[in-house]
Every structure is written in C-alpha cells, then in structure tokens.
C-alpha cells in the first residue's frame, strides 16, 4: 500500500515592475492553507507516478488565480494538470502599491510523493511490553534485521539482558530514539524509556528527566518533575543526572539561581571525568559564581573538557586567553579556540565571532564572513542572531541593503522578546522602510523595547514624546527616557542631553559644563565598538 504526500513549496516571487522610486508596496501573500490539496489523478496513482512540478501563477487584484502555467514539468501530464487545476481554486491576498491591489506573478513548486505505508506493529511488541525477555530480544532482532551493525547490536542486546530487563528496554529505546539498529520511532522509544525508568534503571530515569526538563518527546516542560527523576538517577550514581541537577540550579529552573548548589553537583560528576560537568564547573571557577574565583582551576577543567571537543569549554577558554585571565593574553590562541567553538555549532561563539568580524575586534573586519556566521545562528531561531542579521540587511553591511528582509528578521527576533529588534523594527515602521509607515506599531514596539530595558527604544520613544508625534507631547517624560538611555551608555541619548544642557532645552537650565561632560561621554562610548565580543 502507498500513502500520498502532496506539498506546495514557494520557490520564488516575481515582483511587478515599479517605475516610481518611492512607493509603499506589499507583496502578495500566498497562504496555501486557504485552498484544498489537489486530488491525485487516479490513473497517475495507479501507475505510481510522482515528481515535482514548478508553476507560475498570476494572482489577480481580487486575490483569485487569473492564470497558471507549468514552468517545469513533473514528467507526467496528469500531475502537471492536477497541480495547475489545484492552484486555480486558491484565493490569495493580492500585492499592493500605495494601497492599490496589483496583479502579481508568483512561482511555486508542487511535490507529488509516494511513500510506503508504515509497517504493521510487530507480533512481538505486545508481549515484549509485558516484560517478556524472549519477546524483547526477538523484537530487537526484528527491528535490527539488515541494519549495518546487526551482529554487534545482537551482542549489545544480550549484554543488556544480562544486566536486567530494564537495561534491555533502555537499549531498545535508545535504538528507536536514534534510528540506529532499529527504525526511527520516537513515540515507541518514549514508551520503552518510561518502562525502564519505572523499573528503576538510572540511565532511563535521567533520560525521562531530560525530556521533561526541556519539554521534548511530546512531554510538557516541567523542571520540578524532571528534578525528581534526576534525583532518583543520581542516588544510584548516575553522573549525567548529577550534571543535569547542577544545570537546573545553575539556570534557576526551579527557583532562583543557586551557583553554590550547581557547583556541588558538578563536582560530583567531575569525579567521573564527565565532560559537561568539567565545562560547567570550569565556567563557575572562571566567573567566581558559587565558588571562589580560581582561574587556574578554571583553566584545568576547561582544558580537560575542550580536549574532548566540548565547544562550550572552547569558548570559555578563548575568553580567558583574550582577557589574560590566568594566562598571558594570546589573541592567536583565543581566536583559534573561538573558531573551533563556532565551527562546532556553539551559538554564543558564532555570535561573538560575527561581532568581532563586524567591528574589527582582535581580527580584521570581514562583513561577509560575519553574515555567514549570523545566518547559521539565525537559522536555528536564535533571537540575537535574527536581530543582528536583520541589522546587516537594514544597513547593507555584508549583504545588499533590503529593508523588507530586515523587517522580516526583526519581526522574528521581536517575537523572541529581543529588545534590540523591537526598537529597530519600530524604526522601520516609523520611517516606512520595507513597507508602509505605521506609527502606532512603532510606538507599541518602542514601549515593548523599553520594557526590556533597551536604550535604543527609550531614545526613539523620547524623540516622539519630545515632538508630540503620535503621542501627547511630554517633555518631562522624554527627558527621563533620555536620561535612562544615557545611563545605559547609549551615545544618541548622551548627545541629546549634551545639546539640551547647551541650549537649555528639555526643561533643563543651560549648563555648559554638563553639556561638555555628556559630549565627552558620548564621544568616548562611540570610539569603542557598540558591542564587546570578548567580555566574560
């Protein structure tokens, strides 16, 4: 038997030609949830035809599809025609120019895919779930038949059974979870993990704790429940659980951060040469959190973890070399470690490296490489990465300037409560860059940025309050926001205060000395990079 998958995928948008240089335009919005999936032609299904068809379709001013053309054929006329017929039944939001709907060509790819129907459950499964060891072994053999390491997997299952049934259940769960030695099946993996954990097997208890701690495997996030499982596993000497308990205290997941308790649990795991515990405890010694600051001990632990390719430890070691903490300053070693961590996927290292490349800190400026690192971070949904990549598009630094793309990236970052993105996105709405002017949205975003203690948002909002643009004029409130932003070392706010003291504005008496003081502070802050990539 076969089941059907037919999925539309936008691959390009063909923008209308606009003669005027300054227009407000919005693209067409192709929401495929507004139309039914086209029917698979019976004759094509009978012949098991599949493929990809690229269509170009014209969205009319009323949102209907006025025309549809096959750009690239799937190789089968029936599938091409079905895709074209399907798109003609859709209704979309048309493109606009200065608020006037416009016809707009859009391109999309439609994929017709035949997938095998999932196999029926094994006859051994219900018996194995009762704890029958023979059925469990038979099930593992059935799942592993024909896999690359079939013989070794049989040996490992026999070894696990020699320990306990719960150990064998854990072994099978791990194979199903990873899709190695068994088909990938996370739902069934969870069932086996739970059986093993309930039977008291410490590694399974730690796994269930982790699933709860991070809200994965379909479980609701619950760090208190996770801690209960971690403690059960740790009571049996499970070092992964000891480290996990340290992380819970370190990050304040069940209350205020408690670095001392975190260090205590990390130390337990360190005795077993646990890599992450070494990295985590090393960080506490580096920063003097929960323990007395000890650069020598931090270096020892971080080197142990970094030698085992722990990328968090590589980053922290890099910071120690950049700052000369416990070692002589060595930018070459620091940069090598930073690049190792970034290449290994550490998001903080990637962000720090991108900032260093953008501002020429300990390394020559290279905006193009900085953008490449920011893309990696942004593609993983990191709010700071999305914001910084948005700024690259807004400023045209390392990429062609594109306000619309900047808006989209800022919007994603703002959804993650990134105050910098909220302020920047508000600026685009206020100025009408990348879309229509919307002062109300700008004000809402500035207020949200202020709630996140963002100095840029404070300064932008203060300007509106000062001028009475979009909000009632309030000189006192504007001055208070400028002062808050200046206290956060924001140069634009400092300069406005300098001007206000010079001219006697914002309700302030003229004071040349204070004006000069703020002017000097602004110049000193502007002479430094806006971000410090290597602060600890």
């Amino acid at each position: 038997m076969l089941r059907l998958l037919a999925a539309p995928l936008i691959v390009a948008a063909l923008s209308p030609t606009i003669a005027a240089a300054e227009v407000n335009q919005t693209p067409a919005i192709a929401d495929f949830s507004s139309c039914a999936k086209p029917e698979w032609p019976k004759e094509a299904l009978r012949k098991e035809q599949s493929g990809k068809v690229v269509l170009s379709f014209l969205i009319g001013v009323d949102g209907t599809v006025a025309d549809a053309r096959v750009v690239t054929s799937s190789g089968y006329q029936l599938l091409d025609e079905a895709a074209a017929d399907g798109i003609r039944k859709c209704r979309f939001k048309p493109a606009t120019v200065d608020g006037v709907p416009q016809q707009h060509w859009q391109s999309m790819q439609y994929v017709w895919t035949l997938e095998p129907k999932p196999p029926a459950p094994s006859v051994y499964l219900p018996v194995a779930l009762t704890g029958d060891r023979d059925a469990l072994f038979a099930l593992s053999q059935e799942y592993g038949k024909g896999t690359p390491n079939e013989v070794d997997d049989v040996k490992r299952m026999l070894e696990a059974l020699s320990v306990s049934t719960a150990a064998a259940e854990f072994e099978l769960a791990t194979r199903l979870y990873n899709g190695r030695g068994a088909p990938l099946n996370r739902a069934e993996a969870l069932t086996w993990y739970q059986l093993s954990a309930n039977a008291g097997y410490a590694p399974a208890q730690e796994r269930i704790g982790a699933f709860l701690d991070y809200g994965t495997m379909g479980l609701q996030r619950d760090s208190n429940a996770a801690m209960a499982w971690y403690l059960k596993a740790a009571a049996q000497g499970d070092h992964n659980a000891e480290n996990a308990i340290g992380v819970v205290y370190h990050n304040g997941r069940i209350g205020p951060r408690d670095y001392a308790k975190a260090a205590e649990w990390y130390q337990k795991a360190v005795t077993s040469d646990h890599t992450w515990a070494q990295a985590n405890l090393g960080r506490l010694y580096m920063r003097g959190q929960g323990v007395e600051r000890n650069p020598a001990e931090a270096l020892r632990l971080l080197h142990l973890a970094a030698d085992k390719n722990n990328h968090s430890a590589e980053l922290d070691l890099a910071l120690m070399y950049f700052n000369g903490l416990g070692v002589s300053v060595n930018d070459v070693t620091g940069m090598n470690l930073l690049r190792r961590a970034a290449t290994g996927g550490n998001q903080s290292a990637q962000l720090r490296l991108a900032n260093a490349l953008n501002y020429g800190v300990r390394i020559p400026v290279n905006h193009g490489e900085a953008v490449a690192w920011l893309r990696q971070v942004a593609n993983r949904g990191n709010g700071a990465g999305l914001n910084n990549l948005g700024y690259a598009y807004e400023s045209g630094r390392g990429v062609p300037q594109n306000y619309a793309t900047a808006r989209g990236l800022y919007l994603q970052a703002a959804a993650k409560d990134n105050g910098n993105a909220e302020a920047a996105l508000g600026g685009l709405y206020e100025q009408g860059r990348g879309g229509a002017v919307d002062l109300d949205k700008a004000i809402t975003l500035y207020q949200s940025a202020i709630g996140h203690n963002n100095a840029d948002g404070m300064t932008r909002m203060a300007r509106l309050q000062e001028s009475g643009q979009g909000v009632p004029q309030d000189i006192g409130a504007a001055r208070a926001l400028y002062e808050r932003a200046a206290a956060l070392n924001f140069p634009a706010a400092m300069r406005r205060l300098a001007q206000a003291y010079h001219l006697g504005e914002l309700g302030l008496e003229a004071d040349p000395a204070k004006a000069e003081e703020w002017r000097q502070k602004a110049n000193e802050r502007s002479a430094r990079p806006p971000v410090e990539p290597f602060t600890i």
Side-chain angles (χ1 to χ4, degrees), residues 109-270:
Q109 175 179 279
Y110 213 98
V111 183
W112 300 89
T113 304
L114 293 167
E115 284 198 351
K117 184 179 179 181
S122 169
V123 295
Y124 299 113
L125 180 59
V127 182
L129 288 170
T130 68
D132 186 286
R133 293 163 60 86
D134 291 335
L136 182 57
F137 180 68
L139 182 64
S140 71
Q141 283 187 297
E142 181 178 302
Y143 284 166
K145 187 174 182 179
T147 55
N149 300 308
E150 183 177 358
V151 175
D152 289 339
D153 285 343
V154 169
K155 292 179 180 177
R156 277 195 294 273
M157 180 55 72
L158 289 171
E159 290 172 359
L161 282 166
S162 71
V163 174
S164 67
T165 303
E169 291 169 339
F170 178 82
E171 172 67 23
L172 182 58
T174 303
R175 294 180 187 185
L176 290 161
Y177 180 86
N178 294 320
R180 291 195 294 270
L184 180 66
N185 190 330
R186 294 282 173 84
E188 187 180 336
L190 179 60
T191 297
W192 290 110
Y193 279 131
Q194 289 172 326
L195 284 171
S196 181
N198 288 332
Y201 192 61
Q205 293 171 333
E206 185 275 332
R207 283 292 79 205
I208 295 295
F211 298 149
L212 288 164
D213 205 2
Y214 294 94
T216 58
M217 296 288 278
L219 300 179
Q220 185 174 352
R221 188 169 189 175
D222 187 339
S223 291
N224 284 295
M227 179 65 96
W229 283 108
Y230 287 150
L231 288 169
K232 288 180 181 181
Q236 299 183 63
D238 187 280
H239 301 302
N240 287 327
E242 292 167 345
N243 176 70
I245 294 170
V247 172
V248 170
Y249 284 121
H250 195 151
N251 293 331
R253 289 181 184 159
I254 59 172
R257 295 175 186 265
D258 191 330
Y259 296 119
K261 283 188 177 179
E264 177 185 341
W265 282 100
Y266 290 149
Q267 186 62 59
K268 292 175 184 287
V270 162

Side-chain angles (χ1 to χ4, degrees), residues 505-524:
E505 297 174 338
L506 295 177
L508 298 169
E509 293 185 7
D511 189 328
K514 284 189 176 180
E516 181 60 26
E517 179 184 349
W518 279 117
R519 190 176 296 110
Q520 288 183 2
K521 287 182 178 180
N523 291 338
E524 289 171 3

Side-chain angles (χ1 to χ4, degrees), residues 386-398:
L386 289 162
N387 171 73
N388 293 358
L389 186 58
Y391 182 71
Y393 277 100
E394 182 185 0
S395 61
R397 190 173 64 182

Side-chain angles (χ1 to χ4, degrees), residues 477-500:
R479 182 180 66 249
L481 282 176
Y482 283 132
E483 289 171 344
R484 282 181 62 187
L488 293 170
N489 295 315
F490 195 65
M494 294 176 179
R495 290 193 178 95
R496 181 65 188 103
L497 287 177
Q499 183 185 41

